[in-house]
Amino acid sequence: MARSLNEWLWQHEFWLPPGITWQDMQESEDVHYPQPRDLLLSIPFALILVVIRCAFERAIALPLSSKLGVRDKQRPKAQPNPMLETFYSTRCKNPEEGELISLAKQCDLPVRKVERWFRCRRNTDRPSLSKKFCEACWRFTFYIISFFTGLAVLYDKPWLWDHRECWTGYPQQPLQPSLFWYYLLELSFYWSLVFTLPFDVKRKDFKEQIVHHAATIFLISFSYCANYIRIGTLVMVIHDASDCFLEPTKIFNYMKWKKTCDSLFMIFSAVFLISRLVIFPYTVLYNTYYYSMEIFQPFFGYYFMNGLLIILQLLHVFWSCLIIHMVYKFILQGTMEKDMRSDTEESDKDEEREKIREKEQNGISYFSNVASNNYIQRNGSEPLKNRTHLTNGHVKER
């Protein structure tokens, strides 16, 4: 069965244009073509990147965060409570009102105290500022290396300047060693992001990030197997261009360098919108959809490749809307919102809302007591001890 599945999966009709078979892609001593088995190297290389990242964050990024004044917020820890801890771990981290009441009865605690326990427990699990700083430093380091590696690999390639060259001789385009290592670097990095996904900072666009990583891995892998190497290198270098500005924007945001952060964010916004909404559609989408038709007729790989590229473009539009919204707020208010694009993690505002609610309640009670006392004094009525004051300022006989 495995052999039948393997033969079905690697039918040349799926991967190659009409009239081309795998026999036409046989390697020789002088000519090398992409081989699907080469992609297996990305898994051990991804694990190596994870190890390098751990060492980098611990030995370089974390000490750097301390020197640059990045301080973690001290949050009070929740008191040990086995029953609440079990509920938190197995059922829900943010229980509804009915669940809070039930838990309060079981623990013989006030509902407000149970609610505060869950808030403190959630705050404990939230990533620290130094963790986010270290993650941004690692990604910034990689994107810088990857972007300049891409430029070094592509600057003398004809398809960087004439996009029709992406299809000259396709699919019998020999694989150059520099392109192979560039591909392996990018694919290994995205596999490493998948491996560390459960441990990385979870943000509001967490689901979109999963879709992005999956689409990117499929896109890189498929483009390699089908020898879409040239178009794939353009996709990767375009993506890395804007990410080189996003990560330092986060870093300066964590450092509280507000003006530098705002300036970098505006530069990032311009680069992102131009590269993802202008350059990418023309250089990649238009190229694969129209220019490729001058060389071959549509086949399964043609539709699959364009489908993955369209998914990426939809994600570009989604993130562009978030960025445009933030730029609009920046222009109106003169300041940038706390979170940016994919760094919009869940904010810790529970305590602030609680304090505001308590102040409002205390203010209402104080106003009610004053109003009630004035009412009684004006009318010369019974002493206070014989009456109960309601929040609307009236009195009720005990």
Side-chain angles (χ1 to χ4, degrees):
M1 181 179 293
R3 183 177 180 180
S4 300
L5 179 62
N6 184 66
E7 292 177 354
W8 173 83
L9 178 63
W10 295 106
Q11 294 183 69
H12 61 266
E13 291 86 359
F14 292 164
W15 303 89
L16 302 174
I20 303 293
T21 65
W22 291 116
Q23 283 71 26
D24 299 322
M25 303 289 292
Q26 292 295 326
E27 293 185 326
S28 64
E29 293 183 0
D30 300 328
V31 178
H32 297 279
Y33 294 111
Q35 299 297 322
R37 62 177 179 270
D38 297 340
L39 298 178
L40 297 177
L41 291 174
S42 64
I43 302 300
F45 272 84
L47 296 176
I48 293 174
L49 283 179
V50 172
V51 175
I52 295 175
R53 172 183 174 177
C54 293
F56 173 86
E57 291 184 353
R58 180 171 297 184
I60 299 177
L62 191 58
L64 184 63
S65 67
S66 300
K67 291 184 179 180
L68 294 177
V70 178
R71 298 288 182 267
D72 294 332
K73 181 180 179 181
Q74 297 297 325
R75 299 189 178 103
K77 295 183 178 180
Q79 295 294 326
N81 191 309
M83 184 175 296
L84 297 181
E85 183 65 35
T86 302
F87 186 92
Y88 180 88
S89 303
T90 59
R91 294 189 58 184
C92 179
K93 295 183 178 181
N94 194 4
E96 301 292 337
E97 184 177 357
E99 294 173 324
L100 289 173
I101 295 174
S102 176
L103 289 170
K105 292 180 180 179
Q106 295 177 32
C107 299
D108 193 22
L109 294 172
V111 177
R112 185 62 57 81
K113 193 169 184 179
V114 174
E115 185 179 5
R116 287 175 179 171
W117 186 95
F118 276 95
R119 180 169 63 247
C120 291
R121 186 66 179 83
R122 288 193 300 270
N123 289 342
T124 303
D125 285 348
R126 284 176 181 157
S128 62
L129 202 61
S130 59
K131 176 179 174 62
K132 293 188 285 186
F133 179 90
C134 292
E135 181 179 313
C137 282
W138 164 250
R139 297 195 182 198
F140 171 64
T141 302
F142 176 84
Y143 288 135
I144 283 290
I145 294 174
S146 177
F147 177 67
F148 283 102
T149 299
L151 291 181
V153 169
L154 295 176
Y155 83 97
D156 61 344
K157 302 299 186 293
W159 63 87
L160 180 63
W161 315 105
D162 183 2
H163 306 321
R164 279 188 168 88
E165 287 293 325
C166 290
W167 311 109
T168 301
Y170 180 83
Q172 295 170 308
Q173 297 171 336
L175 176 63
Q176 301 177 19
S178 59
L179 298 178
F180 167 75
W181 289 109
Y182 181 44
Y183 248 74
L184 188 62
L185 176 67
E186 289 280 353
L187 184 59
S188 301
F189 175 71
Y190 282 102
W191 272 120
S192 71
L193 292 183
V194 172
F195 295 157
T196 60
L197 205 57
F199 313 103
D200 288 340
V201 178
K202 290 182 175 59
R203 301 179 172 93
K204 287 185 178 180
D205 63 346
F206 179 72
K207 295 180 180 179
E208 289 79 8
Q209 285 288 340
I210 294 177
V211 175
H212 175 268
H213 295 342
T216 302
I217 290 173
F218 274 114
L219 182 60
I220 294 176
S221 301
F222 180 82
S223 65
Y224 186 85
C225 295
N227 205 12
Y228 283 108
I229 298 292
R230 296 184 179 183
I231 199 70
T233 54
L234 295 179
V235 173
M236 293 187 293
V237 76
I238 289 173
H239 277 71
D240 289 340
S242 59
D243 290 332
C244 290
F245 293 97
L246 172 62
E247 301 305 328
T249 304
K250 295 179 184 180
I251 291 173
F252 285 109
N253 182 44
Y254 302 145
M255 292 168 54
K256 311 299 182 185
W257 290 24
K258 189 177 182 311
K259 292 184 178 180
T260 305
C261 175
D262 291 348
S263 300
L264 279 175
F265 177 75
M266 297 303 293
I267 296 173
F268 158 74
S269 301
V271 174
F272 185 93
L273 296 176
I274 293 173
S275 62
R276 306 292 180 93
L277 299 184
V278 179
I279 297 178
F280 183 85
Y282 172 72
T283 304
V284 177
L285 291 180
Y286 187 83
N287 193 0
T288 57
Y289 191 79
Y290 287 105
Y291 289 165
S292 61
M293 299 291 289
E294 298 176 359
I295 307 299
F296 55 80
Q297 295 300 314
F299 63 106
F300 175 81
Y302 167 84
Y303 295 112
F304 188 73
M305 182 75 171
N306 280 281
L308 292 175
L309 292 173
I310 289 174
I311 291 176
L312 282 183
Q313 184 59 26
L314 291 176
L315 291 172
H316 296 165
V317 173
F318 169 79
W319 282 315
S320 296
C321 291
L322 297 180
I323 292 172
I324 292 172
H325 174 74
M326 294 189 66
V327 171
Y328 176 74
K329 289 285 187 181
F330 178 82
I331 295 174
L332 288 183
Q333 301 176 0
T335 182
M336 190 179 66
E337 292 180 355
K338 183 179 179 180
D339 300 315
M340 64 198 74
R341 188 184 160 236
S342 59
D343 194 30
T344 54
E345 70 270 9
E346 181 184 357
S347 58
D348 184 14
K349 295 184 178 180
D350 293 330
E351 293 182 4
E352 296 178 7
R353 285 195 293 263
E354 179 70 18
K355 290 179 181 179
I356 293 174
R357 187 166 58 199
E358 289 181 355
K359 287 180 181 180
E360 290 176 349
Q361 291 176 349
N362 293 336
I364 292 174
S365 301
Y366 176 78
F367 175 78
S368 302
N369 290 335
V370 171
S372 300
N373 290 335
N374 291 339
Y375 177 83
I376 293 171
Q377 291 174 1
R378 285 197 307 269
N379 291 275
S381 304
E382 297 181 30
L384 275 172
K385 63 181 180 179
N386 295 328
R387 297 192 173 194
T388 302
H389 301 284
L390 304 179
T391 56
N392 59 9
H394 293 79
V395 294
K396 178 180 179 182
E397 297 291 342
R398 287 188 178 178

